[in-house]
Amino acid sequence: MNIRTIGLVLGVASGILWGLMDIASQFLLHNCQMEPPAFISLTMIITSAVLIFYCLATRPQKFFVPLRSIHSSFSLIVFGCLILGTEVAFFSCVKGTNAATAAVLASNRPFFIMLLLCFLGSKPTIKQFLCSVMAVTGIALLVTKGNFSSLSFNAVETLVGLGAPLFSACYTLQSRNLIERFDPVVVMAWAMTIATILANGYVPFWSVRLEWTTLSILAILCVSVVGHILAYLCYLLSASKINPTVTGVLETVEPLTTVILSYLLFKIALDRAMVGGAILILLAVSILGLTRHRKSAIDASAMNSKH
């Protein structure tokens, strides 16, 4: 497989794995009555321990390499803070609404990437602008459930959920240099460890109250290993191999996985207004990703014809 194909496969895999994590997080936050700060502290301490152990066992010579430079060390700290911001925003949204709504909102990551690139000097096209309008309309339908006369408590937490794609877009762009320069697993280990230290400074993991059952243990492991490690690595490796905006078309995999599993496992279905909003968001994300993909293919063909 060529590099682009590998990137696409990794992007699809990350979406499916994140969908599984979303379902596990809803079980813990709703059925087990965990609060987001405690949930984040507990799951991330497990994630960091697994990553550190794996790195020291398989690549000990590479583990401390990113810390030899002040610049890369600072970049790791920023990366860790952005990951923590993503976690807080996303799981607060899951707690206040449900996993399906949070996943649909998280799929807006390509639009925040586009906005950041515009801020850095890239001019948006008419299609990008129209896709943004579609996405904003979809978000409004999700937040208000079709009733624009008032905002409920859930609507406020839904808006908080938009912080997840914002922070995620930031670390997608910010971490590319780290991923290219150092071992991706080592970078993730340090970033997750920094986020874990910050999270446990607020709620120590040993103070978490949880009824330990087979399902709760499996759910914790699903979030800690499947979501925090495997999905993150697949996504970051995908973004490092293809244009980060091209991954937009793959953003539909996570919410579709989550919506389907939410209905099958929790019998949770979106109402008509919310379904309409979700369709608008996913359609806009797909159009944006496909547009970028075709443009990249045309540019690549032009480059090849010159040689």
Side-chain angles (χ1 to χ4, degrees), residues 10 13-14 17 51 224-236:
L10 289 171
S14 69
L17 295 176
L51 282 172
S224 303
V225 179
V226 174
H228 284 168
I229 299 178
L230 298 181
Y232 267 117
L233 284 175
C234 285
Y235 174 75
L236 289 174

Side-chain angles (χ1 to χ4, degrees), residues 20-75:
L20 294 173
M21 181 197 72
D22 298 344
I23 295 301
S25 68
Q26 175 163 326
F27 172 77
L28 291 167
L29 293 168
H30 287 248
N31 297 65
C32 298
Q33 298 297 310
M34 292 189 74
E35 293 299 321
F39 168 86
I40 293 170
S41 294
L42 179 60
T43 54
M44 294 198 76
I45 194 71
I46 297 173
T47 300
S48 297
V50 172
L51 282 172
I52 291 174
F53 177 80
Y54 178 78
C55 288
L56 292 177
T58 61
R59 56 205 75 191
Q61 300 89 350
K62 298 180 180 180
F63 189 63
F64 294 101
V65 173
L67 302 184
R68 295 175 182 173
S69 163
I70 295 178
H71 180 268
S72 59
S73 298
F74 179 75
S75 296

Side-chain angles (χ1 to χ4, degrees), residues 6-18 234 238 250 253-254 257:
I6 294 174
L8 291 174
V9 171
L10 289 171
V12 171
S14 69
I16 295 175
L17 295 176
W18 262 322
C234 285
S238 173
L250 307 177
V253 176
E254 178 188 353
T257 301

Side-chain angles (χ1 to χ4, degrees), residues 21-22 25-26 29-30 86-87 89-109 142 157-158 160-165 254-255 258-259 262 270 274 281:
M21 181 197 72
D22 298 344
S25 68
Q26 175 163 326
L29 293 168
H30 287 248
T86 304
E87 296 278 303
F90 182 82
F91 292 119
S92 295
C93 184
V94 173
K95 179 69 173 180
T97 57
N98 54 62
T101 300
V104 171
L105 289 174
S107 68
N108 283 280
R109 174 168 38 204
L142 275 177
E157 294 198 336
T158 301
V160 171
L162 287 173
E254 178 188 353
T258 306
V259 168
S262 292
L270 305 178
M274 297 178 76
I281 291 173

Side-chain angles (χ1 to χ4, degrees), residues 40-295:
I40 293 170
S41 294
L42 179 60
T43 54
M44 294 198 76
I45 194 71
I46 297 173
T47 300
S48 297
V50 172
L51 282 172
I52 291 174
F53 177 80
Y54 178 78
C55 288
L56 292 177
T58 61
R59 56 205 75 191
Q61 300 89 350
K62 298 180 180 180
F63 189 63
F64 294 101
V65 173
L67 302 184
R68 295 175 182 173
S69 163
I70 295 178
H71 180 268
S72 59
S73 298
F74 179 75
S75 296
L76 283 172
I77 294 174
V78 174
F79 188 14
C81 291
L82 291 173
I83 286 180
L84 182 59
T86 304
E87 296 278 303
V88 172
F90 182 82
F91 292 119
S92 295
C93 184
V94 173
K95 179 69 173 180
T97 57
N98 54 62
T101 300
V104 171
L105 289 174
S107 68
N108 283 280
R109 174 168 38 204
F111 294 100
F112 285 98
I113 291 176
M114 183 187 72
L115 289 175
L116 290 173
L117 292 176
C118 289
F119 180 76
L120 295 175
S122 177
K123 295 182 179 180
T125 64
I126 295 177
K127 282 188 177 181
Q128 289 175 334
F129 175 77
L130 293 176
C131 286
S132 298
V133 173
M134 290 172 61
V136 170
T137 304
I139 291 170
L141 288 172
L142 275 177
V143 170
T144 62
K145 298 182 180 180
N147 180 13
F148 293 90
S149 60
S150 62
L151 286 177
S152 64
F153 177 72
N154 281 359
V156 174
E157 294 198 336
T158 301
L159 289 174
V160 171
L162 287 173
L166 171 60
F167 289 122
S168 181
C170 290
Y171 77 63
T172 298
L173 298 177
Q174 183 266 344
S175 65
R176 293 192 81 185
N177 183 256
L178 287 170
I179 298 296
E180 291 172 356
R181 291 176 58 198
F182 307 107
D183 188 292
V185 180
V186 171
V187 171
M188 281 303 304
W190 280 113
M192 284 291 187
T193 300
I194 292 168
T196 300
I197 293 172
L198 294 174
N200 279 268
Y202 183 68
V203 177
F205 72 92
W206 59 81
S207 67
V208 174
R209 298 288 183 266
L210 175 65
E211 182 180 351
W212 294 97
T213 65
T214 301
L215 282 178
S216 65
I217 292 173
L218 289 175
I220 288 290
L221 292 176
C222 181
V223 174
S224 303
V225 179
V226 174
H228 284 168
I229 299 178
L230 298 181
Y232 267 117
L233 284 175
C234 285
Y235 174 75
L236 289 174
L237 288 172
S238 173
S240 69
K241 295 180 182 300
I242 57 179
N243 189 303
T245 311
V246 173
T247 59
V249 72
L250 307 177
E251 298 293 328
T252 60
V253 176
E254 178 188 353
L256 288 177
T257 301
T258 306
V259 168
I260 292 171
L261 292 179
S262 292
Y263 179 76
L264 293 176
L265 299 177
F266 301 115
K267 302 302 179 184
I268 295 177
L270 305 178
D271 59 32
R272 291 182 179 180
M274 297 178 76
V275 169
I279 291 175
L280 280 175
I281 291 173
L282 299 181
L283 182 61
V285 170
S286 297
I287 293 174
L288 179 64
L290 288 172
T291 300
R292 283 286 184 174
H293 180 76
R294 289 170 182 168
K295 183 178 184 299

